[in-house]
Amino acid sequence: MPIDQHLPAIAGTLAFLAISSIFFAARKKKQTTTKQRRRLSFTSVGLGLGSFPPKSNVKEPIINAALYFDNNNCPSSEDVAQMIIKPLLLGYERLSHVPDLDNRICRPSSHGDGTVEPMDLIRELTIQGDEKLTNETIVEHCQDCLGAGRDDLPWWEILIINNNGSGPSACVIRVHHVIGDGLALVAAFEKLMTTEDGKPIHSPVSFRSSAAAASSSSGSGGKYKEKGMLSTIWSLIEATGHALTLGATKYDDDTTFSRMNHAQMKHSGKRKAVIFPTVPLDFVKKLKSAAGVTVNDILMTAVSQAIHDYCKSQGDEVLASKGSSIQCRGLLPVGFPRSQDELNDTYNAMRNMWCMVSCDMGVGHSDIEDRLRHVHTKTTEMKEKPRAFMQLQIQNNLGPLIPVSVGQQTVFDTFSRHSLVLTNVPGPTDKCLFAGKKIKSVQLFFDNLLTQVDLISYAGQVYGNIVFDSDQLPNSEIFGQLYVAALAELAKRLNIDVPPGVMKDVSES
């Protein structure tokens, strides 16, 4: 009998197990009175072993958070070692230990005499050039090894790039994803940073609540209290079926933007980044309020419009023929919230409690207001359905029961059917000091199998970039201008004034 005929039963069984696990976990948490080391989750182990099959040529999953400084005001390696790395080594087991993937634990490092010194986790480069050279240098080193082969050092480092030319210098915090996700890492690093007047840094309320909002209906809380048990069970079954079949869905349409995605997709080893023009966060919030949507909806709409306009500029025949019915989906990382006690726990603060959720980007729409309505509908659906929760349950409960190669192929099948990964991280609202020096601006870079768009806000500005195969997108330099032009067009439709700086970027496009 074909396996698809068994899917309802499989989904129902997994949904039952998921519901049971919620109550069991809650009961166990109440019974636990002493702190214990938590083993590496299957998600963490998978990230350490490699999420994709070896044939796809994808290297390590490394988070690269770039902090930019005026070229004569970059922190010294000594200050970074003492003010940033030393406290992290003392405060977090996963940052001072080495992953033991076979035993699903973190063990002490055997580096040298068994002691990891802060300077061991610093590399320093000197360049001379403009801002473009600084960013090219960062992208060039995005895939430098952090795992095995580094004399048994912990799987992270800080790369200091001193620019003696006209461009900014940078400190790049490079962390292997096996150590933890964005929520965990931000919580750790913000404790070591201050505002310019020395006050502690706290992530905006929306940062933690955004993760909660995406998963508020996941589990025993959220909107399911209003729906009743039967409705909740059915929603979990639907979500389980969605997660189990995502890797078997139709491939995204073969546009100029997506045509590298297919069953034989392979990382070429060549990556390029286009930096987006910086946009005032207050401007984005005005658009959000006028449209009655979220900041994330506005930014997703701008990216979707940029993809549409890019394909149109390249004379894309698929876009011309299919129009609004075109399929172009993004994978959106969803992080699950955790308590302050967990974030302060030496052994358990660092963890991977996140998953990818699929979202259609509405690229085929020709009108930007139609596009915004489409995006808002899809993101609302993400919040109302427990797909993220069930995806995480399947990763950590079903994943360990299947061979590693099967798990890697499943991840590959899911990614290769999508067109991009899109992240949006709200950061500190005020200018910050890092090792005593003022951070001028920020960027996130992640070299993935797919094209990746990373957006991050900092001190009232929204920064962003797109990282892609350098052979994939011809005339890629226009993408940033198309993104900001989309925001300007949306402002025109909503009767919102466009800031002069944004208008300047639009006029140059």
Side-chain angles (χ1 to χ4, degrees), residues 264-449:
Q264 286 75 45
M265 189 178 186
K266 187 175 182 180
H267 193 294
S268 68
K270 297 179 289 184
R271 282 299 183 266
K272 181 179 178 180
V274 171
I275 308 299
F276 294 173
T278 304
V279 177
L281 179 59
D282 183 60
F283 170 55
V284 178
K285 287 182 175 180
K286 288 179 180 178
L287 297 177
K288 176 261 300 186
S289 297
V293 296
T294 67
V295 166
N296 197 49
D297 290 340
I298 296 295
L299 295 175
M300 281 184 64
T301 298
V303 173
S304 172
Q305 185 70 49
I307 296 172
H308 174 279
D309 293 345
Y310 171 78
C311 290
K312 189 174 180 180
S313 73
Q314 303 304 305
D316 191 282
E317 295 181 359
V318 177
L319 176 65
S321 63
K322 289 201 169 186
S324 61
S325 66
I326 202 168
Q327 179 173 293
C328 179
R329 296 171 297 173
L331 287 169
L332 280 57
V334 174
F336 289 77
R338 55 223 68 173
S339 70
Q340 198 59 48
D341 286 343
E342 287 178 295
L343 293 171
N344 291 330
D345 190 300
T346 298
Y347 303 118
N348 299 321
M350 292 294 148
R351 63 186 306 184
N352 281 292
M353 196 173 172
W354 66 281
C355 65
M356 290 287 192
V357 177
S358 176
C359 183
D360 187 272
M361 300 288 291
V363 166
H365 289 286
S366 57
D367 183 83
I368 195 167
E369 291 183 90
D370 290 340
R371 185 183 316 284
L372 177 58
R373 282 189 286 269
H374 175 95
V375 168
H376 179 63
T377 298
K378 292 299 182 181
T379 57
T380 300
E381 183 181 84
M382 285 172 55
K383 296 170 187 176
E384 292 179 344
K385 294 186 177 182
R387 290 177 176 175
F389 171 75
M390 288 309 304
Q391 179 64 52
L392 186 67
Q393 293 300 313
I394 289 170
Q395 284 175 198
N396 287 331
N397 294 295
L398 181 61
L401 304 179
I402 62 177
V404 171
S405 60
V406 175
Q408 291 174 331
Q409 186 62 44
T410 301
V411 174
F412 177 84
D413 289 341
T414 299
F415 270 65
S416 62
R417 283 165 165 77
H418 289 73
S419 297
L420 74 157
V421 174
L422 173 62
T423 68
N424 173 30
V425 181
T429 56
D430 300 309
K431 289 283 187 181
C432 301
L433 301 181
F434 181 83
K437 301 296 184 179
K438 183 169 70 173
I439 302 170
K440 180 180 180 180
S441 60
V442 299
Q443 289 284 351
L444 288 177
F445 296 94
F446 198 97
D447 182 357
N448 216 324
L449 175 66

Side-chain angles (χ1 to χ4, degrees), residues 212-213 215-229 231-232 235 379-386:
S215 56
S216 63
S217 57
S218 306
S220 57
K223 300 186 178 183
Y224 291 110
K225 290 182 179 179
E226 304 172 6
K227 290 186 174 183
M229 181 58 73
S231 181
T232 299
S235 296
T379 57
T380 300
E381 183 181 84
M382 285 172 55
K383 296 170 187 176
E384 292 179 344
K385 294 186 177 182

